[in-house]
Amino acid sequence: MDQSITAPSRNALTIPSLTRIANAHASCLAKCRGNSSQISQPGRSSSLFLQQQHDSIQRTTSAVLRHTFPSRVPSVTPRTLSSTLPRLSKTPRFVPTVRANSAVRAVRAAAANNADGGESTTAAPDDVADDSATVAAQLALSASEEALPEAGVDEARVAAAAALLEGELLEKTPENAAGNEAQFAAGEETGGMEKGSIGSEKSDSAAAAAAAAVGTPATTESSTNVTISKGTKKGITVKGKKVTVGGRGGSGSEGEGAGSDSGSGSDSDSGGEEVFRVVWSSSDSRIDYLGESTKGDMVLPDLPVDLENEGRRAFDLDIDTGIGPIEELAKAEADEAELLLEQLGVPPQFPHGLASRGIFCSRTLNLRSITTIGYDMDYTLIHYNVNAWEGRAYDYAMENLRSKGYPTEGLRFDPDLVIRGLVMDKANGNLVKCDRFGFVKRAMHGTEMLSNKAISKLYGRELVDLRNEGRWEFLNTLFSVSEAVVYMQMVDRLDQGLLPAEVAPGDYKTLYKVVARALFRAHVEGQLKAEIINSPEKFVELDPELPLALLDQKLAGKRLLLITNSDYQYTHRMMTHAFDRFLPEGMTWRSLFDMVIVSARKPEFFSMAHPLYEIVTPDGLMRPCFKANSGGLYCGGSAQMVENALGFAGDETLYVGDHIYTDVSQSKLHLRWRTCLVCRELEQEVEALIHGHDTRLRLIDLMAQKDRVGDCFNQLRLALQRRTQGQAAQTAAVGEMEDGELVRSMQRLLWIMARLDGEIAPLLETDGAAFNDRWGYLSRAGLWDKSHITRQIEKYADIYTSRVSNFLRYTPFMYFRAQGQSCAHDVSDTWPLSSIQPDSSEDQ
């Protein structure tokens, strides 16, 4: 549904325009000084009048920069403005806009003077602001050929507008910034903007006066009161020429090393001059030097040599080529780009300035080349309050166990007892945390943590193998939290002999089945979901930015899919509650998605074909269907059906979910879709890593000291061994050491290492406690190694983040680059300098 957004009446001035203003002021002042006798102002001396104009212009230019860069320019003159603005004009930054007000009289006076031969004999207006307007307009018109060699209609208008900068400064909006100085006072209509009415009689007279000043007819249909209809194609004009985006690729790509390969498309507007082009076709895209497709990249068109400069002038493209090394140019431009974002109020690298809200990349991903994005719902698009949702699931499970005779008195839900990424050992009633290789690093039996000695005895000779599903159960989603808490508490009751003989299982594995059935019953009977449907506000955490992130992706041309295992009634209630209130009026969550699949039966959905049903009524009535269509609402089916219906496949698709197995690994293994894992705990994890950074540095330093002391001790121990065995020492100096000196040195080093161990051990025990007291960090297993879930994320998730709304900051055009991965043999700061210097004797 279309919406109209009305912008107030404004006119924009660009930095290049202000550069011309500054240059005009400087030249005109010089001319005033040389011809001050020709300037007649009744009741004022020429020198006093000149000084007043100088002061007025200085206030004008100072006001511009103070408003635009309040913390950076404490004082500015026309001279510094002239030297500063050309550097800033390399970025399309806009300064505050101005309203046509007292300049009407000034421009009229300038027009009358110009018609009389350029004599500046106009009587002084009543106020200094009008003085500035009059003189600026007069001098710019009379000295345009001398001060501005390429001056024309636009420069005259801009010069006349300069004095307005002393008046009311208004905030600029992107909708009307495109018109820049050419639109000022003449009221030219910008492309793609609907006509409206001039905001006031004053604006009408200003337009007419400006038109008279420059010798062009005024238009009564011009408007700065712009109405933009949502959903329509909007245009941009620069210097009166319409800017369009074409559909053929060219040079100057924003991709990685994209060359001059061309693409084809149909998005070009023949009514305008093409400035940008987008590579739409897969067949016309190329693979960049990082192995990513350039499909979706926006590029510059291929301009013929003789038209290149003309094209740049037409659109004010201030592109310097061949001036200095590209490294220097890129660095300067990067600095300017960051400054521009700061001035525009765009958040820094991470959303809200928080590293915990970042999107982290395991495998390089060009989001521009992604044509289709699929989403899971639970804990992905809909985030639940874990304590509320899992707490109620725990309560229902306990009620089911109590009904079977299991003692549950005195037990309560403890969400800190477990974390995602742990593995249940159903054979031993344990919960373990293993590293990326499968070695167990921490373990808990029931609700009691095991010692390192007990862990070594029990797991020292075996690895965790998730392929053995009969023994190991991986907690790879927050839905597993309540199940694990119930199981570990029941293990304690079994060990304590509190379970009645008639219901007590014979082993831990059977006990797990009992607990799993109790929790599954709560889900199947619909008790929990019925409660959530009736009171979603108690369980769902709203995120106002999330629908906007999806809306950006939709408007960028991405096809959006919702693929969830939840049923239609539950899905509709949750999505309506979490999305509709944050979308534009008249738009619902269904409007975002090209296709919705409920009861998808993932992970089989990605590898098997199930019957497809179309949901045809609001209450969920279904009918058999043999082919899916865009815009449809379906139950069941398969990923292959969706690919065939929408015409996409493989690595042009990104699937986003919270389940490392059901959502991420299976879609990648069977379909080669690109994947994104949503893990809300990342926010707490990153904050904990920041909090524990100093402790980890101290740990690393203590262990480095122990390594140095231990290396010396090991050499002395070897010397002692060889001496007692009658063998030669490593060196002559070692052989000359007295026995007492050797023993005393070894004793001291042992004492030092024991003291170091006393410092290191407790620090390692508490490492990661800021995230979880029992299990430490989600991503770590010990000081140096990664946890098993981190290994799974790196293997199956191309990118991962804490919430979908983080995409809002990164835009639908982000190019995610994987970070460098370290190897044990990488050059290290701990290596002695001598070890990395070439041996001169080997060169001879």
Side-chain angles (χ1 to χ4, degrees):
M1 181 177 179
D2 289 352
Q3 287 186 319
S4 295
I5 304 171
T6 302
S9 176
R10 296 166 185 172
N11 296 282
L13 292 178
T14 62
I15 289 291
S17 305
L18 288 175
T19 304
R20 293 193 289 274
I21 293 173
N23 291 336
H25 283 167
S27 177
C28 292
L29 282 175
K31 186 170 183 178
C32 284
R33 291 190 178 93
N35 303 278
S36 59
S37 60
Q38 299 177 10
I39 300 179
S40 174
Q41 291 289 328
R44 303 184 188 182
S45 66
S46 297
S47 59
L48 175 61
F49 175 70
L50 180 62
Q51 183 61 44
Q52 288 175 336
Q53 303 320 306
H54 180 277
D55 294 342
S56 176
I57 292 172
Q58 181 166 340
R59 288 195 303 272
T60 299
T61 53
S62 297
V64 173
L65 289 198
R66 279 200 308 271
H67 185 87
T68 311
F69 312 104
S71 63
R72 299 174 184 271
V73 185
S75 177
V76 68
T77 65
R79 178 176 299 176
T80 58
L81 180 64
S82 298
S83 62
T84 302
L85 291 181
R87 178 178 62 84
L88 298 178
S89 66
K90 295 183 185 300
T91 58
R93 184 180 293 110
F94 287 89
V95 298
T97 58
V98 294
R99 179 179 293 160
N101 43 39
S102 61
V104 174
R105 297 189 301 275
V107 176
R108 284 174 175 167
N113 292 339
N114 192 44
D116 293 336
E119 295 180 4
S120 303
T121 57
T122 303
D126 296 332
D127 56 275
V128 174
D130 286 349
D131 275 346
S132 307
T134 304
V135 173
Q138 288 175 335
L139 296 181
L141 289 172
S142 63
S144 61
E145 289 187 1
E146 177 180 340
L148 302 169
E150 297 181 5
V153 172
D154 293 330
E155 282 72 22
R157 291 174 183 154
V158 171
L164 300 184
L165 296 174
E166 283 190 349
E168 184 177 359
L169 293 172
L170 302 176
E171 189 67 19
K172 175 193 70 66
T173 60
E175 289 85 355
N176 54 34
N180 62 54
E181 72 277 13
Q183 186 185 9
F184 174 76
E188 294 177 358
E189 179 183 316
T190 59
M193 297 183 177
E194 299 176 0
K195 293 181 180 180
S197 60
I198 294 292
S200 65
E201 210 175 283
K202 220 177 231 188
S203 298
D204 281 334
S205 57
V214 297
T216 58
T219 172
T220 58
E221 295 183 348
S222 302
S223 172
T224 55
N225 215 2
V226 181
T227 300
I228 300 176
S229 296
K230 183 180 175 182
T232 61
K233 187 175 180 180
K234 291 178 276 294
I236 298 175
T237 60
V238 179
K239 285 190 175 296
K241 296 190 177 183
K242 191 170 183 179
V243 176
T244 66
V245 178
R248 182 177 60 82
S251 61
S253 169
E254 58 178 336
E256 303 298 324
S260 58
D261 290 13
S262 297
S264 62
S266 58
D267 198 36
S268 179
D269 189 339
S270 59
E273 231 175 296
E274 189 176 79
V275 175
F276 305 112
R277 297 179 183 178
V278 177
V279 180
W280 295 114
S281 172
S282 298
S283 61
D284 294 323
S285 64
R286 59 189 297 273
I287 303 301
D288 65 26
Y289 54 71
L290 292 182
E292 293 297 306
S293 170
T294 60
K295 183 177 180 179
D297 280 6
M298 179 176 283
V299 298
L300 295 175
D302 294 323
L303 294 175
V305 176
D306 57 336
L307 295 179
E308 189 176 53
N309 292 330
E310 180 62 30
R312 290 174 182 171
R313 284 198 299 271
F315 295 102
D316 263 347
L317 299 179
D318 190 2
I319 303 175
D320 294 327
T321 58
I323 306 177
I326 184 59
E327 294 86 352
E328 296 179 6
L329 293 175
K331 184 179 185 304
E333 195 66 24
D335 292 339
E336 290 296 329
E338 291 181 354
L339 179 61
L340 171 60
L341 291 180
E342 180 182 343
Q343 295 300 326
L344 294 176
V346 176
Q349 180 179 6
F350 298 110
H352 309 288
L354 301 175
S356 58
R357 294 291 302 274
I359 298 179
F360 308 99
C361 183
S362 301
R363 178 189 172 200
T364 297
L365 171 66
N366 182 6
L367 200 57
R368 299 189 290 270
S369 68
I370 296 297
T371 62
T372 308
I373 305 178
Y375 287 99
D376 177 42
M377 186 183 75
D378 298 306
Y379 281 120
T380 301
L381 294 181
I382 303 296
H383 183 73
Y384 303 102
N385 182 302
V386 176
N387 289 342
W389 207 106
E390 297 303 319
R392 288 303 291 154
Y394 172 91
D395 293 340
Y396 281 118
M398 285 300 187
E399 288 179 12
N400 290 332
L401 290 175
R402 190 180 303 115
S403 66
K404 294 182 179 181
Y406 284 80
T408 60
E409 296 77 11
L411 299 179
R412 64 178 182 83
F413 177 61
D414 182 6
D416 295 327
L417 190 65
V418 301
I419 63 173
R420 189 203 303 243
L422 301 180
V423 183
M424 281 191 285
D425 180 359
K426 294 179 284 188
N428 294 297
N430 294 341
L431 195 60
V432 304
K433 182 179 185 180
C434 54
D435 63 16
R436 54 180 169 154
F437 304 111
F439 291 102
V440 175
K441 295 297 185 179
R442 298 191 187 191
M444 181 172 71
H445 180 76
T447 59
E448 296 295 325
M449 298 299 295
L450 298 180
S451 65
N452 289 335
K453 183 177 181 180
I455 292 174
S456 177
K457 181 178 180 180
L458 188 59
Y459 297 109
R461 295 176 63 88
E462 71 178 319
L463 300 175
V464 173
D465 185 359
L466 296 180
R467 292 173 297 181
N468 184 359
E469 297 179 358
R471 178 176 179 182
W472 307 103
E473 187 73 21
F474 188 37
L475 310 185
N476 49 21
T477 176
L478 290 175
F479 280 127
S480 304
V481 171
S482 53
E483 179 182 68
V485 172
V486 173
Y487 179 58
M488 302 316 292
Q489 290 177 343
M490 287 296 104
V491 167
D492 281 345
R493 294 293 167 100
L494 179 62
D495 290 343
Q496 295 164 2
L498 298 178
L499 300 184
E502 60 273 16
V503 298
D507 54 37
Y508 299 115
K509 186 178 294 186
T510 305
L511 177 62
Y512 172 78
K513 293 180 180 178
V514 172
V515 170
R517 281 197 297 267
L519 196 61
F520 182 72
R521 179 184 169 189
H523 288 285
V524 170
E525 293 181 353
Q527 298 168 302
L528 179 57
K529 286 195 173 182
E531 183 175 346
I532 296 174
I533 287 176
N534 292 330
S535 303
E537 67 280 355
K538 295 181 180 179
F539 300 94
V540 176
E541 294 184 357
L542 298 178
D543 187 345
E545 295 181 336
L546 195 153
L548 302 181
L550 268 62
L551 186 58
D552 274 352
Q553 295 172 353
K554 180 76 172 179
L555 296 178
K558 313 292 185 186
R559 287 175 298 225
L560 302 186
L561 313 175
L562 176 59
I563 305 173
T564 175
N565 283 351
S566 294
D567 62 77
Y568 171 70
Q569 295 291 348
Y570 183 80
T571 298
H572 179 71
R573 183 71 175 100
M574 293 300 100
M575 293 295 292
T576 300
H577 173 75
F579 273 66
D580 287 2
R581 68 185 70 195
F582 302 119
L583 290 171
E585 184 179 354
M587 189 176 187
T588 69
W589 67 271
R590 283 290 309 279
S591 307
L592 292 172
F593 298 97
D594 291 75
M595 188 177 292
V596 176
I597 307 290
V598 300
S599 302
R601 296 179 64 181
K602 296 178 293 182
E604 289 89 352
F605 178 83
F606 298 115
S607 59
M608 300 172 60
H610 294 291
L612 181 68
Y613 298 91
E614 182 182 8
I615 299 175
V616 294
T617 65
D619 58 354
L621 184 65
M622 299 184 295
R623 65 185 177 192
C625 180
F626 300 99
K627 181 180 179 182
N629 295 304
S630 178
L633 172 61
Y634 301 99
C635 172
S638 68
Q640 190 65 52
M641 291 181 183
V642 177
E643 287 186 340
N644 294 339
L646 298 181
F648 69 88
D651 60 3
E652 290 185 3
T653 311
L654 176 70
Y655 190 70
V656 185
D658 72 298
H659 200 293
I660 192 68
Y661 177 74
T662 298
D663 294 322
V664 176
S665 72
Q666 294 304 291
S667 61
K668 179 172 289 293
L669 289 175
H670 294 289
L671 301 168
R672 291 298 184 265
W673 287 2
R674 308 304 296 271
T675 53
C676 172
L677 180 75
V678 174
C679 180
R680 182 60 69 96
E681 305 97 297
L682 273 175
E683 294 180 12
Q684 182 185 351
E685 166 93 351
V686 172
E687 292 170 0
L689 286 168
I690 295 172
H691 180 272
H693 181 67
D694 292 341
T695 300
R696 290 181 71 84
L697 289 180
R698 183 165 181 248
L699 261 172
I700 293 171
D701 182 60
L702 290 173
M703 296 185 78
Q705 293 176 25
K706 183 179 179 182
D707 286 342
R708 294 169 61 192
V709 173
D711 183 59
C712 181
F713 175 81
N714 292 337
Q715 291 295 336
L716 295 181
R717 180 178 177 181
L718 179 60
L720 178 62
Q721 173 184 302
R722 290 187 176 185
R723 184 170 297 188
T724 56
Q725 296 296 325
Q727 296 178 336
Q730 299 96 309
T731 66
V734 173
E736 294 174 357
M737 286 184 67
E738 295 184 359
D739 292 346
E741 180 183 1
L742 178 61
V743 171
R744 283 192 298 274
S745 296
M746 293 178 64
Q747 288 175 332
R748 177 167 181 79
L749 292 176
L750 279 174
W751 180 82
I752 293 294
M753 287 190 292
R755 292 288 303 274
L756 287 171
D757 287 341
E759 292 289 325
I760 293 172
L763 287 177
L764 275 176
E765 287 292 328
T766 59
D767 185 42
F771 181 79
N772 187 278
D773 287 335
R774 294 179 177 88
W775 304 105
Y777 295 114
L778 176 77
S779 59
R780 301 281 195 269
L783 180 62
W784 300 111
D785 217 343
K786 299 174 182 177
S787 64
H788 187 73
I789 191 172
T790 301
R791 172 58 181 147
Q792 296 273 29
I793 292 173
E794 289 181 337
K795 185 176 182 179
Y796 297 115
D798 298 299
I799 55 177
Y800 58 99
T801 189
S802 63
R803 59 180 82 192
V804 173
S805 60
N806 293 341
F807 278 103
L808 188 65
R809 161 63 182 93
Y810 286 85
T811 79
F813 318 111
M814 182 67 184
Y815 197 114
F816 294 101
R817 296 173 183 82
Q819 301 299 308
Q821 302 296 315
S822 61
C823 297
H825 63 276
D826 285 343
V827 177
S828 170
D829 293 337
T830 63
W831 290 3
L833 186 61
S834 59
S835 68
I836 59 178
Q837 290 179 336
D839 189 347
S840 58
S841 62
E842 294 181 358
D843 297 336
Q844 296 177 354

